[in-house]
Each structure stands twice: as structure tokens, then as C-alpha cells.
Amino acid sequence: VPRKQEAMKAANDKLLKHLCGQGDFLQSKRRCLVVHETFFCLANCAGCLEFHAKGREKKVKDAWAEIFEEDHTFGTAQDCAGLGVLVHAVANQQHVLTEKFYFQAADFLWKVLSDAGELPEAVKQLEGKELKEEKCIRLCELLDVIAASAGVRSYHRAMGLPMPQLPQLPPEDQAPLFSRVTEICSSGLRWDPAIAWAPRMQGKDVNLEVYKKLGMERSPVIAGMSPPENPNSKWEGALTTAYHWFHWTSVAYPPNFALFQLKPFVGSKISRADMESIASAYTTGIHCVF
């Protein structure tokens, strides 16, 4: 177990460093603020806790309006540069979020980025499907950063460990790596409404030169994220964040050879079957959807 904890510490530190760094479509300072706000708010914001209790007792009619009406407490400057309530909603209110909320969030994020001057000129005049793609690819990245941050924080909380020291805001803001979705996937984004609200990329159209340029490898396992029935396909839109998160999971989760192993594998106190049982109970409890 100590060896496992050492490996997890290294993996957590590496992932947090990436999350607080240069993004695909979001600037580094904004990503870093989102990480800090997620750590601050998760199961901690009084307004979120109050709303969470309400959501269990009654059906929420308008999640967007009701979440924004709550009295939130923020841990970062200027309410996470305008994204604080959205970060809190994703981190704390998964059980009431809807497809309508998802696309409201995409529009909201787009406006915040536009007002802050963080959108490239190439996307400002887009319309229709192209505009929808650009809005949602940025939301994909925001969601990935929140989810990955929540995963690291939840690990420390569950293990009874002190929270890790988060990377500080970078002295110089790093611009995003890309301007348009088509730079990373020639066919843009694809939606499968019967499966998920979030889009995915067509694996065959992903730009392999991007992987090479960034020193990443699109291995068969990474490429296996793309099929629509794979929940990981909803991560892939945030290309580099998904890549680093996937490598984090290789440390956090059981290795493939333990897939059907009933006894605990080396470095673990529980088996893969135990983990699946726990995960099933948890996701049922929070009405998990993707």
C-alpha cells in the first residue's frame, strides 16, 4: 500500500501540473483558477450543500436558474473569473443537471470567454454547427478539468490524506494550443443524442500530427476511447487533458490483467470486482449520467 500511495502522489502531482498549465482551447490561468475553485467548493460550499439537499427532496424545475440563485462562497478571485457558479454546479450538482443545462453552460462559457477577450478571431463570426462545435469543445475542456480535479481531491479525502499543494497561478498566461476544432479532428465533433449530451471525435479523423508534435502517443488503448459507447469518448474532446487524465487512471485503477481477477492484485486491498461493485453503488446513488 505505501508503494501505491507513492505512485498515486506522483501521478496526482503530474496531473495537477498539467491541469494548471496550457490548455487546448482555454488559457492556463483560467484552467488553474478552475482547479483551485474545484478543490475549494467540492462538498464544501454552503450554498451548494443547501441546494444539494433541496434537489434530493424535490424535483428541480430549472437547474440553471436555481443554481445561480443560491448564495455561493468562492475561493478564487472574481468568482473564478466569472465561471465560479458553473464550476460549483458541475462539481456539486451532477444529480440535477440536464441536457438543457449542458447547452446553457456552453453558451455561458462562450460569453465569459468572449467578454474576457479569450476567443480567437477565427471563431467569432462562425454560425450553425461550426459555432456549436467551438462552444462545446471549450465546455468539454472545462468539464474535463473540473472532473479530473475532483478525482484528485476525492482521492485525498477518501484516503484521509492532507490535500495536495496546488500549483500557483502562472506568472505569464499561456495561450491555448489551438483555435479551431478542425485542427485536432478534421471532421469536427459528432453527437450521439441517444447516448450522451456531450460530443465526441471520430477516431479516424483525429490529427495524428498533433500527437507527434506534442510528444504524445495515440496508442491502441488511447484510440479505443473514441467509440460512442465508451464513456471515455466524452473526455477525448479535450485532447491533451484527456490524454494526461488517461495516464493518471493507469495508476489509479487496476491494470487490465486484473479485469477478471477476483482476488486483490499487488498494491491493493480490494479486487477489481470489489471496485466495480462500489462504483455501481455510487453511480446509482448519484444518478450518474454521461
Side-chain angles (χ1 to χ4, degrees):
V1 175
R3 285 189 299 169
K4 177 70 173 183
Q5 289 187 2
E6 290 172 6
M8 281 301 301
K9 182 181 185 310
N12 288 335
D13 290 346
K14 183 177 181 179
L15 180 59
L16 287 171
K17 182 179 179 181
H18 169 76
L19 295 175
C20 289
Q22 186 177 26
D24 294 345
F25 296 95
L26 299 178
Q27 296 185 185
S28 58
K29 283 189 177 181
R30 187 170 291 282
R31 286 168 58 99
C32 195
L33 281 172
V34 169
V35 172
H36 281 252
E37 190 62 41
T38 301
F39 266 77
F40 173 81
C41 81
L42 195 62
N44 179 60
C45 169
C48 286
L49 292 174
E50 182 180 350
F51 183 84
H52 198 279
K54 289 180 182 176
R56 293 295 186 189
E57 296 167 0
K58 63 167 187 163
K59 185 170 180 62
V60 176
K61 295 181 179 179
D62 188 341
W64 184 268
E66 294 183 43
I67 290 174
F68 269 78
E69 287 171 1
E70 287 297 324
D71 185 16
H72 296 273
T73 303
F74 301 101
T76 51
Q78 299 177 319
D79 301 352
C80 196
L83 292 179
V85 178
L86 182 53
V87 173
H88 285 216
V90 175
N92 289 323
Q93 313 298 349
Q94 297 176 33
H95 61 297
V96 299
L97 303 187
T98 62
E99 181 179 8
K100 178 182 177 182
F101 184 99
Y102 180 88
F103 290 103
Q104 286 175 309
D107 291 338
F108 180 80
L109 173 60
W110 186 262
K111 186 177 187 309
V112 169
L113 296 178
S114 178
D115 291 346
E118 296 177 24
L119 292 177
E121 290 296 326
V123 304
K124 291 182 178 179
Q125 304 303 320
L126 296 178
E127 297 178 347
K129 181 177 183 291
E130 289 183 318
L131 177 59
K132 180 183 179 182
E133 288 179 338
E134 297 301 336
K135 288 181 177 181
C136 288
I137 197 72
R138 286 160 176 79
L139 181 60
C140 285
E141 183 171 338
L142 178 69
L143 297 181
D144 281 17
V145 172
I146 296 171
S149 301
V152 175
R153 186 190 186 283
S154 297
Y155 166 78
H156 285 79
R157 185 183 180 202
M159 294 294 293
L161 299 172
M163 288 298 154
Q165 184 174 356
L166 301 178
Q168 296 303 304
L169 284 175
E172 294 185 10
D173 206 357
Q174 290 181 291
L177 292 164
F178 313 110
S179 297
R180 295 287 307 274
V181 174
T182 48
E183 294 176 46
I184 60 175
C185 185
S186 60
S187 58
L189 299 180
R190 177 164 180 168
W191 275 264
D192 305 285
I195 298 177
W197 313 325
R200 64 181 178 87
M201 296 190 293
Q202 288 278 53
K204 65 182 179 60
D205 298 328
V206 171
N207 187 349
L208 298 182
E209 289 303 315
V210 167
Y211 274 83
K212 294 178 182 178
K213 182 178 179 180
L214 296 176
M216 305 190 308
E217 179 187 0
R218 188 169 171 79
S219 66
V221 177
I222 294 290
M225 294 170 64
S226 296
E229 64 276 5
N230 186 338
N232 293 336
S233 65
K234 311 309 171 287
W235 279 82
E236 194 180 19
L239 195 73
T240 60
T241 302
Y243 182 85
H244 289 281
W245 168 80
F246 191 85
H247 281 277
W248 176 83
T249 67
S250 69
V251 179
Y253 294 107
N256 288 336
F257 70 79
L259 186 61
F260 301 106
Q261 189 169 312
L262 297 181
K263 63 181 181 179
F265 51 90
V266 177
S268 175
K269 292 293 186 181
I270 60 177
S271 69
R272 174 63 180 261
D274 295 329
M275 290 187 176
E276 293 292 348
S277 178
I278 294 168
S280 176
Y282 173 74
T283 53
T284 301
I286 65 167
H287 309 288
C288 180
V289 293
F290 69 88

